Amino acid sequence: MLNFDVDRFVRIQSDALAVEPRLKEVVTDLVNGGAENLFFLGAGGVMFLTQPAFQLLQAKSLFPVYYEMGAELVERGNPRLGERSIVVTPSLSGTTKEAIAALEYAKKAGATIITFTGHADTPLAEMADHNFTTFAEDDTSSEMFYLETLLVALALMNARGEYDAYDETVAELKQLPALLVDVKASFEDRAAALAEEIKDEDYHLITGAGSTWPEAHYYGMCILEEMQWIRTRPVHASDFFHGALELLEDGVSIIILNGEDESRGLVDRVIEFAPRFTEKVRILDTKDFELPGISQATRSLISPVLLATVFERLSAHLEVLRDHPLTTRRYYKKLVY
């Protein structure tokens, strides 16, 4: 596979899943100790990676859960954030200034803070009551944060008696690192072909629903826009028919992400519609990826993980074909803003 270190990838994802015993203990103690709500709180695109866990808790648990953009929370507040709140914040660098300000705000409110970082000895690691540092870099962090925040949701529901298959699900998740390598390998030829196909295109609609929507938003904003300077229009599949459909015509590219949760039908509707008006329809469907030994119940939880892992292959080819390294920036962390 192009520019890919198998051992490094497996090690990083295995280390991410290895936080499970301590994370389960922390979450269980907080729930049993009287926690009343949970906030996913942070800044930037990494927050999108917490949305599948947030959605899972919204749909399957009666425990109050909130999703807050850190900068906005600091400006307007939230009366539900307090001493019986759990705050979960991911940050690869551990230094994002908006996330630091948000955690300072949460600490003043008395919340218990859990952070997931890619580096220790950083402000966000040190501010936490419970920090889980797993070394990662941009090309491996999406899967890592998806999995770690999923473990938070599963542990919380398990502690409340709302999820009976915790042990079975965790056992299956721990098989994923090696299986994801196989998924990448199976997608490599398609990634190369797709990169060649889109390398000169400067605009894409990108859509998904349920747990695939956060990955559509993330890949459009944080990879294609930030790292490749390609304009995108991320739009939720259920909103597609309230505006974005009018942009479809010959030559317009649409990238459609389909997963295996209850929202699949919303994406199917776009898949049926789009080819009537543009020939540039690119569909990534997690059902196409083989995962031996992984149950359908677990597959329904990890659609964004699968999409992130194959998108990394597309990105690896794009940066070579476009002679535009993924690390190149003009403004991001280059200027004061």
Side-chain angles (χ1 to χ4, degrees):
M1 288 184 279
L2 177 67
N3 296 336
F4 182 69
D5 185 330
V6 171
D7 292 339
R8 169 176 166 273
F9 176 81
V10 171
R11 182 177 64 254
I12 288 170
Q13 304 310 327
S14 297
D15 287 349
L17 289 163
V19 308
E20 181 271 328
R22 184 165 74 92
L23 180 60
K24 178 186 178 185
E25 180 180 359
V26 167
V27 172
T28 301
D29 287 348
L30 290 172
V31 170
N32 292 340
E36 294 180 351
N37 56 44
L38 183 146
F39 282 74
F40 289 103
L41 174 62
V46 70
M47 275 298 292
F48 300 163
L49 307 179
T50 73
Q51 285 183 19
F54 168 68
Q55 293 171 356
L56 179 64
L57 288 171
Q58 275 195 317
K60 306 296 184 183
S61 176
L62 293 176
F63 194 76
V65 57
Y66 305 96
Y67 176 92
E68 289 277 7
M69 296 179 68
E72 194 166 57
L73 176 71
V74 170
E75 294 299 326
R76 62 158 170 72
N78 188 321
R80 301 169 187 83
L81 179 66
E83 294 180 355
R84 294 189 178 275
S85 298
I86 305 168
V87 167
V88 176
T89 297
S91 173
L92 183 60
S93 70
T95 62
T96 307
K97 65 178 184 180
E98 295 92 344
I100 292 171
L103 287 200
E104 289 174 344
Y105 183 92
K107 286 179 74 73
K108 288 180 181 178
T112 299
I113 296 171
I114 299 172
T115 60
F116 296 102
T117 57
H119 303 277
D121 303 321
T122 56
L124 290 174
E126 294 172 353
M127 292 171 71
D129 297 289
H130 307 280
N131 171 251
F132 297 84
T133 293
T134 305
F135 171 77
E137 293 177 301
D138 284 337
D139 61 332
T140 56
S141 62
S142 292
E143 297 97 326
M144 179 182 82
F145 287 133
Y146 276 135
L147 290 169
E148 289 178 334
T149 52
L150 172 60
L151 289 173
V152 170
L154 295 176
L156 189 149
M157 290 191 294
N158 179 72
R160 288 174 47 82
E162 295 173 325
Y163 193 79
D164 296 332
Y166 180 86
D167 291 338
E168 295 84 350
T169 301
V170 168
E172 291 186 7
L173 291 176
K174 290 184 177 181
Q175 300 177 48
L176 276 183
L179 292 174
L180 292 177
V181 173
D182 294 339
V183 170
K184 287 178 182 286
S186 72
F187 191 74
E188 184 73 7
D189 289 346
R190 186 180 174 198
L194 183 55
E196 180 67 37
E197 189 178 317
I198 71 172
K199 63 182 175 64
D200 296 321
E201 295 180 354
D202 61 3
Y203 174 75
H204 302 277
L205 292 167
I206 182 167
T207 190
S211 65
T212 72
W213 162 239
E215 181 60 21
H217 198 176
Y218 179 86
Y219 194 75
M221 188 178 90
C222 296
I223 310 300
L224 293 181
E225 291 184 345
E226 180 187 320
M227 299 184 183
Q228 287 295 291
W229 306 347
I230 295 171
R231 293 172 178 84
T232 69
R233 165 68 160 94
V235 57
H236 194 285
S238 68
D239 289 333
F240 179 82
F241 294 97
H242 299 276
L245 79 168
E246 290 294 337
L247 298 177
L248 284 187
E249 59 185 4
D250 288 344
V252 173
S253 170
I254 179 168
I255 300 171
I256 304 174
L257 310 186
N258 214 355
E260 298 174 60
D261 63 14
E262 298 89 340
S263 298
R264 185 176 175 88
L266 300 177
V267 180
D268 287 340
R269 187 181 177 203
V270 181
I271 290 173
E272 292 171 4
F273 180 86
R276 295 161 57 188
F277 303 100
T278 178
E279 75 284 7
K280 294 183 177 181
V281 179
R282 287 83 185 224
I283 302 167
L284 278 71
D285 190 333
T286 63
K287 279 193 172 183
D288 294 337
F289 307 132
E290 294 185 5
L291 290 175
I294 304 300
S295 67
Q296 187 57 49
T298 298
R299 287 186 67 111
S300 70
L301 300 173
I302 58 171
S303 294
V305 179
L306 295 174
L307 291 167
T309 218
V310 297
F311 266 140
E312 181 276 326
R313 291 290 76 215
L314 175 61
S315 300
H317 286 275
L318 272 179
E319 71 171 342
V320 172
L321 290 175
R322 302 184 75 246
D323 191 25
H324 187 125
L326 295 167
T327 53
T328 300
R329 304 289 189 279
R330 289 181 292 187
Y331 315 123
Y332 182 64
K333 294 188 176 180
K334 299 286 187 181
L335 304 177
V336 176
Y337 50 83

